[in-house]
Amino acid sequence: MAEERLVHLLNTTWVVFLMQVLCVRGSKLWEVPTAPLVPHANLSTRLFWEPQCQTQLRHLQNEARITATIPPKLEGHWVSSRCEVRPGPEFLTRSYTFYQSPTRLFRALQHYYSDSECHIPTYSLVIKGKLQLHQASWITRGATEAEHHLHKVGMVIHSQKAAHQLSSRLPSSCLGLKSGGHLVPHRFYELFNAKAEKDCLGALGFSMMELELLRVETHHHPHSRPPQELFLGDVHTDWKERVHHRPTGYQEPLQNAMHHIHPCPVCALVYRASEQHPPILPPSPPIPLDLNGNWVSQRCESHPAVLFLTRLFVFNEKQRTWDGTYQHYSDPMCRQPSFTLLASGHYVKVGQSAKVRGATELVFKVTRAKVIVYDQALLRELNSTQNGRCGQPGGWETGVEQDITWTDGCDALGIRLPHKEYELFKMGVDHKGRPLLFIGERPTDGSSPDRPAKRPTSFQTPMVQCSTRVGVEPRYSSYSDHSTGPKISSANALHSSLILLSVLNAWCWNIYLF
């Protein structure tokens, strides 16, 4: 009874809160396409999922292949598997070493570059400190919360050009330089010392808050040593907020240097590098952006305040149309579906990005959307909507698709149609030579990149191409065993409401797209 009363209180509180948010944000006008968009014949049907795409998504749901323990076992050396792109943009590779308990000491190397291929190093940071693991996260299921304490941070600059650029950001007095002194390449400079109460990190926007959310996954494969991946907390997309941001999602995972994916040539380069000799990744020619076909998530993805999801996109380059399926889950293994969003529209390629080499700027127009709900608590909330601004009033059923286009979206979910977004795409290849699609990272605050100034400068987890077929009639085929959605028992009612709380919090900001 106590749980039931708490569930009822949470639901009632969030209905009131949601109404208040809508009163504040309800007048926000999302940009309407200036030119009429002629819907293609496939927009009224569901997505077609190729067998390869179904196989990929079923693979993600095979929990026997992936194990994760709480607290995670961190001891060892973890390295980047590619040139990483952070908001800004910043280009870097990471090499982190965690030592045996009970000391929980760590030593981290971050190598920064001036180019998106990590070919021209600018400076390296040496970070030493201590990590204290805490309880399992209440916000991000499957993760462990932690607290880090920095001891020392030092910097080595790798070129005269980088020294000149950094001299305008780092105060000479803080670095101990004499009047008129200059930064010198290849010399070690101390930026932070906890005992000496010295701190010069602010000018760099430096933060190790990523260590405050952790998850280690072991991927089991027959006849091979299982690789291990370390997921650390996300970095805020707003430079001003990153120093204080407590992560709720993840960055691209680091590979265990002894148990990594094969082949991984970048892993070896990063593992052997030092602050004086940063890894120089081999340059690769830009790959032209060819979106034709179907693209699917490589793993169960975690995004700030959006729980867990998988994505599937179908692009038709000739018609410049796209269809997207966003399947949201309540668990980090993507086995307990909560709702599905089906969206579609048109897109336009703007041109090459001036900030991220090899990336392309696009503008997407979202013109149609449908929703399928599986979570019972969410279902009750949607059926309680009385203003007719979210599909058929009172007509929501578990596992049954509702078209919300004719109501111009769904006020209760924060969705307005039509909608325009400014995006950043980039092509790549994985270790198997398969095409990868990097799509712009979403703003951490949950807002939408609905104007050019908010166009992303970094990327989400890349998607892999699962089919090159285009021009076929799309239709939706559920890849989950939960054809009518999961049944929520009384023992899980409290957890379901907590999930609803997080989901509604995300929806109150904006629809999650791309």
Side-chain angles (χ1 to χ4, degrees), residues 5-72:
R5 287 195 297 268
L6 180 55
V7 169
H8 177 73
L9 176 61
L10 283 172
N11 288 340
T12 303
T13 301
W14 272 90
V15 170
V16 174
F17 174 75
L18 187 58
M19 292 176 63
Q20 292 175 340
V21 172
L22 291 175
C23 289
V24 175
R25 298 178 60 83
S27 60
K28 178 181 177 181
L29 296 179
W30 286 9
E31 187 171 2
V32 177
T34 54
L37 299 177
V38 180
H40 56 83
N42 293 334
L43 287 179
S44 62
T45 57
R46 297 178 175 182
L47 285 176
F48 176 87
W49 286 12
E50 296 286 348
Q52 305 97 302
C53 303
Q54 293 185 19
T55 300
Q56 172 70 15
L57 290 169
R58 288 186 184 278
H59 170 76
L60 297 180
Q61 293 177 319
N62 189 350
E63 63 180 2
R65 294 178 177 268
I66 301 176
T67 58
T69 59
I70 296 178

Side-chain angles (χ1 to χ4, degrees), residues 216-393:
V216 173
E217 289 187 355
T218 301
H219 296 250
H220 301 276
H221 300 288
H223 314 300
S224 65
R225 178 176 292 181
Q228 292 183 317
E229 295 182 321
L230 171 61
F231 292 82
L232 297 178
D234 61 282
V235 176
H236 204 289
T237 53
D238 187 340
W239 181 279
K240 299 177 183 177
E241 301 292 334
R242 64 193 304 180
V243 176
H244 310 288
H245 171 62
R246 288 195 63 87
T248 56
Y250 302 117
Q251 300 176 65
E252 273 287 281
L254 299 176
Q255 300 290 319
N256 188 312
M258 303 305 296
H259 310 285
H260 57 77
I261 57 174
H262 290 282
C264 185
V266 172
C267 296
L269 292 174
V270 177
Y271 176 77
R272 292 194 297 263
S274 67
E275 63 270 26
Q276 292 290 348
H277 301 283
I280 298 177
L281 307 191
S284 57
I287 302 175
L289 185 65
D290 182 6
L291 297 179
N292 259 337
N294 296 12
W295 303 82
V296 68
S297 297
Q298 296 187 86
R299 58 167 51 94
C300 183
E301 302 174 1
S302 174
H303 296 266
V306 190
L307 302 183
F308 308 96
L309 77 156
T310 58
R311 296 172 292 157
L312 173 74
F313 293 132
V314 180
F315 294 100
N316 188 315
E317 286 271 49
K318 184 177 180 179
Q319 298 183 13
R320 289 290 192 263
T321 59
W322 69 276
D323 296 83
T325 297
Y326 309 81
Q327 177 67 64
H328 290 252
Y329 298 84
S330 60
D331 69 300
M333 304 302 294
C334 285
R335 292 185 61 83
Q336 301 171 16
S338 54
F339 74 98
T340 301
L341 170 65
L342 308 171
S344 57
H346 288 66
Y347 66 92
V348 176
K349 292 181 180 179
V350 178
Q352 294 297 306
S353 170
K355 295 183 177 180
V356 182
R357 178 178 175 270
T360 302
E361 296 181 350
L362 303 94
V363 177
F364 277 81
K365 297 174 181 179
V366 188
T367 57
R368 300 200 63 176
K370 303 176 182 179
V371 175
I372 306 172
V373 178
Y374 303 105
D375 184 86
Q376 293 295 326
L378 173 59
L379 197 70
R380 288 192 296 270
E381 296 297 340
L382 293 180
N383 275 326
S384 66
T385 303
Q386 300 295 328
N387 61 0
R389 298 290 296 172
C390 186
Q392 186 67 33

